[in-house]
Amino acid sequence: MNEVELWRYIYDQVRRLKRVGWIRQDSVRRRRDQVFHVLKRPTDLNVSLVQHRFETASVEPQMDGGAIGQQMLEQSQLCPTRRLESLAKEIRLDMLTALGEAERYKQLFTEMPGLKARVEEDYLQARDRSSRLLGHLRAIENTLKTLVAA
């Protein structure tokens, strides 16, 4: 089972718990790190434990101390790489959103010049946000290059 399948399984279970009324989504909606509140178990709900839902990872043969140390070093280097790649995707999406927002404000200025005074501040904020996100993205991409080269 890979990470995507695990995420989908967990998400499906959360949806089921929400549908039966065992949990409630927090009133504040978040794109990430959504909070749910556990409620009392519904009395009409029958729960059964399902074991062996996922395949267990194959057991690797015994390794000597040097091989284990090398494997741990490789895993510790991969984890930050994955995290940075994920972060780069998120920032890229946010940056494209901010760029699209700034672009739309610019089009509105052209089409309806009377709006410029009202929404110019929003335009400037969107433009600044996209510039900051571009800087974040460059820093992460440079760090990824450094990690891969090492």
Side-chain angles (χ1 to χ4, degrees):
M1 164 158 295
N2 64 28
E3 291 177 18
V4 173
E5 291 171 341
L6 179 61
W7 182 88
R8 284 185 181 145
Y9 175 77
I10 291 171
Y11 182 74
D12 288 341
Q13 298 309 311
V14 168
R15 280 195 353 229
R16 289 175 69 197
L17 290 170
K18 187 177 171 184
R19 188 176 62 240
V20 299
W22 201 339
I23 63 172
R24 176 181 49 84
Q25 191 170 359
D26 194 68
S27 59
V28 176
R29 303 284 193 245
R30 297 173 179 88
R31 288 176 65 190
R32 296 181 54 91
D33 301 324
Q34 180 63 53
V35 175
F36 291 89
H37 302 281
V38 179
L39 308 171
K40 289 185 180 181
R41 185 177 72 112
T43 56
D44 58 337
L45 183 67
N46 293 326
V47 181
S48 62
L49 178 63
V50 179
Q51 293 185 4
H52 306 293
R53 169 66 173 96
F54 301 107
E55 299 171 7
T56 56
S58 60
V59 178
E60 294 182 14
Q62 293 290 337
M63 293 186 250
D64 65 338
I68 291 172
Q70 179 64 28
Q71 183 183 17
M72 289 177 68
L73 178 63
E74 288 171 5
Q75 286 177 350
S76 69
Q77 288 175 343
L78 284 178
C79 186
T81 303
R82 279 194 214 147
R83 174 69 180 126
L84 288 172
E85 287 171 349
S86 172
L87 195 56
K89 286 179 186 177
E90 290 175 33
I91 291 173
R92 191 173 290 115
L93 179 63
D94 290 342
M95 184 184 72
L96 290 173
T97 302
L99 280 171
E101 184 182 355
E103 190 175 293
R104 177 54 64 179
Y105 282 129
K106 194 81 163 175
Q107 287 175 349
L108 289 172
F109 294 166
T110 306
E111 293 172 11
M112 298 175 248
L115 287 178
K116 185 172 183 175
R118 291 176 144 172
V119 294
E120 189 169 21
E121 183 65 30
D122 294 330
Y123 163 71
L124 293 173
Q125 287 176 357
R127 194 182 63 187
D128 291 346
R129 190 169 46 253
S130 66
S131 297
R132 276 194 313 276
L133 289 167
L134 179 60
H136 287 270
L137 186 60
R138 283 184 181 162
I140 288 173
E141 287 175 344
N142 289 338
T143 305
L144 274 169
K145 285 178 189 175
T146 303
L147 284 175
V148 170

